[in-house]
Amino acid sequence: MPGHFEPLPGGGAAVALDDVEISIIRSLAVQLLELIGPGPAEDAPDDPLAELFAEGPSEPPADPVLRRLFPDAYTDPEATPGPREAEEQRAHSSEFRRYTENDLRAGKRENALAVVRSLDELTVGSEGGAVLELSPAASRQWLGALNDLRLAIGSRLDIADEDDTDLLYRLPDDDPRKPMVMAYLWLGGLQETLVSTFML
């Protein structure tokens, strides 16, 4: 079980983590929460209906990581549309973003919070580690958060496709990106083994 998720009888998954791994995942999840920002409830008036019908932003985020987490819905990064088609795509993406981004942010926020809370509930043993056991619902939240963390790190590393990942494997140890690359690859392994628990 060390380093990878295994299925639990009756559903869910478990993984053994040492105290350093717990600290790294927790820190990354907290950073993701800070990046996503507080929910609309933090600034909303006392009227709960106002929050329910609040519109989100219509423009893509300026931060490249947030653009990766909340991409435009109607644009194809590999296509080169004409001016009229590009304008239509921007208008459709803007409208879609206005009505969906708040919910998407809330979902990503809940997933990251679930990761932090489950790690905070762990009792680290005398050997400096613990076994994290997740229910099926918590496993899905962890899967979403791991995906978001990898997207965020991948964006900071300018990873666009598999060829970029291959280049990262060959980085020298003194490259300042190396720790981030190692975290990216390690989270990928966790994500892959967690996905496999859903298939059994």
Side-chain angles (χ1 to χ4, degrees):
M1 186 187 304
H4 63 273
F5 279 96
E6 292 183 1
L8 288 173
V15 62
L17 299 169
D18 64 33
D19 53 353
V20 173
E21 293 169 330
I22 292 167
S23 176
I24 290 170
I25 296 172
R26 190 185 188 289
S27 173
L28 290 171
V30 168
Q31 290 176 56
L32 182 63
L33 283 166
E34 291 170 355
L35 186 66
I36 292 170
E42 318 269 329
D43 306 319
D46 292 335
D47 181 4
L49 283 177
E51 182 184 340
L52 182 64
F53 293 106
E55 293 181 1
S58 58
E59 294 300 316
D63 187 298
V65 173
L66 289 175
R67 273 199 309 274
R68 188 87 168 261
L69 292 172
F70 306 104
D72 276 338
Y74 290 91
T75 55
D76 181 355
E78 297 184 15
T80 319
R84 183 168 180 232
E85 187 180 13
E87 185 59 37
E88 286 177 359
Q89 287 178 353
R90 274 194 295 276
H92 291 309
S93 290
S94 174
E95 189 76 358
F96 185 81
R97 181 180 298 279
R98 203 166 55 142
Y99 293 110
T100 61
E101 187 168 313
N102 281 346
D103 288 341
L104 290 173
R105 280 182 184 261
K108 291 179 184 302
R109 194 177 301 110
E110 279 304 311
N111 290 343
L113 275 171
V115 168
V116 172
R117 288 176 183 140
S118 60
L119 292 174
D120 286 349
E121 291 169 3
L122 281 178
T123 303
V124 178
S126 58
E127 310 243 333
V131 175
L132 174 71
E133 294 189 357
L134 301 173
S135 68
S139 293
R140 286 189 290 279
Q141 288 183 301
W142 263 74
L143 190 58
L146 288 172
N147 185 61
D148 290 341
L149 288 172
R150 291 193 76 239
L151 284 174
I153 295 171
S155 179
R156 291 287 187 237
L157 291 169
D158 291 323
I159 296 173
D161 56 39
E162 276 308 308
D163 292 338
D164 297 333
T165 306
D166 293 341
L167 292 173
L168 294 175
Y169 277 110
R170 296 192 290 271
L171 284 178
D173 288 342
D174 60 352
D175 191 296
R177 296 171 294 172
K178 191 72 172 192
M180 203 182 301
V181 169
M182 298 308 293
Y184 178 81
L185 297 173
W186 173 58
L187 292 173
L190 284 176
Q191 183 181 15
E192 187 177 328
T193 59
L194 183 53
V195 167
S196 71
T197 68
F198 288 96
M199 301 176 181
L200 299 174

